[in-house]
Amino acid sequence: MKQPTKWIAAALAVTGGLVMSNAAKADTTLSTFQNFNLSATYANWDVTGSQIISGGSGFTPVITSGSTPGSFEVQAQAYGSGAYNFASPINATGANEFVFTFTINTPSSGTFWMNPGVDIADGTHLVHLTAANTEGAYLDYSHYSKGTYTVYGPLHDQFGGADLDVSTITAFNLELDPAEFGGNAPYDITYNSLVLTTAPEPTTLALLGIGAAGLVIARRRARVS
């Protein structure tokens, strides 16, 4: 075997090992929102205080806990939020990305500037997450319409604070600010899942590219010989 061929084989072996190593790390599900209840509610998700915060509009939020995964539903008007505290800390060592899925049920038509945010706490501080795949690269304010969304991103704080300590996760916070229409009409949102996962590191992706390139070269040389 010629030396270049050995180098290609080594690159492919290392790449395969790193990819398999990343794949072997299991996801950590923080919630499937089945039989789910918030530990505390704030602003217009708070049944007792919502009428005052809404300027006396009299709209009382309806929060429903379903028996199937992805069935926790919030109907409210204007900004509201709620916290969920784990009974004991969650260890998600190795995770470097969140995946958050939710369904906007109303408004039934049109596109609105909204904030379906999520924060995660590690016992020392709250990390305000930023998504990698929404308008403006933020999870907070983007254009949304009726439908199901899966947003994901690194476990960095969008305001520049310390990253999430994934070995000790103590709570997470849901929030929704309907911005454009929230003061005039109620909204309806269903939460489906919140998962921490391990996305491939840039070095792994780079080696995967090297391995793929090496494979192409090896095939071309084999054809020539």
Side-chain angles (χ1 to χ4, degrees):
M1 182 183 291
K2 296 180 181 179
Q3 190 64 29
T5 305
K6 290 182 178 180
W7 177 87
I8 291 168
L12 287 171
V14 171
T15 302
L18 286 170
V19 171
M20 290 178 66
S21 175
N22 275 282
K25 295 176 181 176
D27 292 345
T28 299
T29 300
L30 297 187
S31 184
T32 60
F33 297 100
Q34 179 179 9
N35 297 321
F36 177 83
N37 291 287
L38 291 165
S39 304
T41 53
Y42 307 98
N44 289 288
W45 287 11
D46 180 5
V47 175
T48 60
S50 59
Q51 295 183 14
I52 299 173
I53 297 173
S54 295
S57 64
F59 186 88
T60 301
V62 179
I63 299 179
T64 306
S65 178
S67 59
T68 58
S71 59
F72 180 70
E73 185 177 4
V74 177
Q75 295 171 287
Q77 181 177 340
Y79 175 84
S81 65
Y84 178 78
N85 300 318
F86 293 104
S88 58
I90 303 296
N91 185 347
T93 298
N96 59 10
E97 186 175 73
F98 73 90
V99 182
F100 182 42
T101 303
F102 55 88
T103 301
I104 296 174
N105 305 306
T106 59
S108 58
S109 62
T111 300
F112 298 91
W113 190 248
M114 303 175 67
N115 167 13
V118 61
D119 312 314
I120 302 178
D122 61 13
T124 61
H125 72 299
L126 189 68
V127 177
H128 306 272
L129 299 172
T130 175
N133 62 327
T134 57
E135 181 176 328
Y138 289 102
L139 174 62
D140 52 5
Y141 288 94
S142 298
H143 281 114
Y144 292 96
S145 55
K146 182 179 180 180
T148 298
Y149 296 84
T150 297
V151 295
Y152 57 87
L155 300 174
H156 305 323
D157 188 279
Q158 63 171 273
F159 300 117
D163 288 355
L164 183 70
D165 178 1
V166 293
S167 68
T168 311
I169 298 172
T170 58
F172 64 83
N173 185 67
L174 304 172
E175 63 178 340
L176 199 147
D177 182 359
E180 286 182 338
F181 75 98
N184 300 316
Y187 53 82
D188 185 328
I189 183 170
T190 300
Y191 291 96
N192 307 122
S193 64
L194 177 58
V195 176
L196 299 187
T197 188
T198 305
E201 298 293 340
T203 52
T204 302
L205 295 175
L207 282 172
L208 184 61
I210 291 172
L215 184 59
V216 171
I217 294 171
R219 286 181 176 176
R220 287 180 178 175
R221 288 184 176 179
R223 289 175 183 175
V224 171
S225 60

